[in-house]
Amino acid sequence: MTTVNSEKLSSARFAEATDAFVEEFTASVNFDQRMAAQDIQGSIAHATMLKSIGILTATELDAIKGGLGQIAGEIARGEFVWSIKQEDVHMNIEARLTDLIGVAGKKLHTGRSRNDQVATDIRLYLRNEIKHIDVQLHRLQTAILDLAEQHFDTIMPGFTHLQVAQPITFGHHLMAWFEMLSRDYERLQDCLKRINVMPLGAAALAGTSYPIDRQLTSDLLGFSRPSANSLDSVSDRDFAIEFTATASLVMMHLSRFSEELILWASAQFDFIDMPDAFCTGSSIMPQKKNPDVPELVRGKSGRVTGHLIALLMLMKSQPLAYNKDNQEDKEPLFDTVDTLINCLRAYADMVPHIKAKKENMYLSAKRGFATATDLADYLVRKGLAFRDAHEIVGKAVRLGLDSQCDLADLPLLELQQLSPLITEDIYSILTLEGSVAARKHLGGTAPETVKNAIHTARVALNELGKISVNKGC
Ligand code: ARG
């Protein structure tokens, strides 16, 4: 076991030791140690820059790199002793470095503050996590496309107000989910642009009197540029809020998917069979197969939205520049990242195993007069004004309700009593197949259109996959 220097780094000014409870209360090491790799990465870049401007010698830089490398190993092996006395990840690592290499370790913090250091660490951390999120998002989108391809012509009822509205294809419904996730992906990439800016050099708040080369540090860390204002760099966490807002939207979408899967898996809908591996039984009711994964994901969406509100409230009353309040940004942020990755992963694993019960979907679409609009459109094509057609179809639905049959099963004579414009050809229009096939414009539910939409989406997704492979994701 290794030990760390137990002296407080900032203790010289103080006559009294920190109260033991306050020490624990103010420490963040129990959770911010998650950013240790980024802290080390940032320190190596900072030290390299310090050497380039002559503040560190080559020997000191080597010692710092060697020491930080050893610390990274200790952390990876679980041997590093984290100490509350050193408050946070930054001071723990620096103290250990000084234990290991002596005076060169004490020079690492030249021209830097924990304020720009922590802002840098969070940005590096988020940048990296977004790559993992992208991987799961991509897997889920691929799974949705595969399922949509199997069901490009599977007919189901489409709903508004959760009442049967018009027939649609299951492939089309799945592609709606795909679209939502595509926008989520774009939002993540857009937010990455503002995350990928480098705060180091802002120091505590006003910058530093050393002739630092911020462009070099930024290049070494792969940031797109150094930040433009030192006060802003150490204080704002809008990038973390933006990320959490994006995550909340993804979770809101996953929650809506969940809601539908839960409904569809019920005996009342019976549209899908959920894979056993993603469901659990009941401890008391032997017949139960509960859709636990979608239910949990739906529940967890509330937690991520809660984190978004927490971060907004955290930021809203802070005067410039850094305030200790900001230490509260990490737990909501880390939990957002974990929750999002886990939920996306669960969905990406589960979706390929969802089985659609085609006959049930079809039969359900036949109930509820889903082709009523098609009858109205037919009458309009024969010269009637839409409102008048609407009225006639309302009467036809009434007839169907009274005789408990679908529009397509009403005798021609009865339909003709409602409007002489109706002829034998109405029956091809009133079929579910006819109804979906007619909606063949861009964005419509016709099987051929859905097939094209899937193809276009797959090409675009593969392109994105290639881009992220090139970016080293
Ligand atoms: N642990 C602190 C945080 O998470 C690091 C910055 C502390 N800076 C300070 N001046 N106390 O924000």
Side-chain angles (χ1 to χ4, degrees), residues 400-428:
L401 283 170
D402 291 345
S403 47
Q404 292 191 352
C405 66
D406 189 43
L407 292 178
D409 301 324
L410 288 171
L412 185 59
L413 270 177
E414 276 191 42
L415 287 170
Q416 284 174 332
Q417 271 164 18
L418 298 174
S419 167
L421 294 173
I422 300 177
T423 49
E424 185 67 39
D425 58 351
I426 188 60
Y427 290 106
S428 64

Side-chain angles (χ1 to χ4, degrees), residues 28 32 87-88 90 114-115 118 322 324 326-327 330:
S28 55
D32 67 14
E87 197 179 314
D88 55 24
H90 325 292
R114 278 185 297 153
N115 297 354
V118 69
Y322 176 86
K324 184 77 168 179
N326 274 349
Q327 184 164 290
K330 286 165 206 66

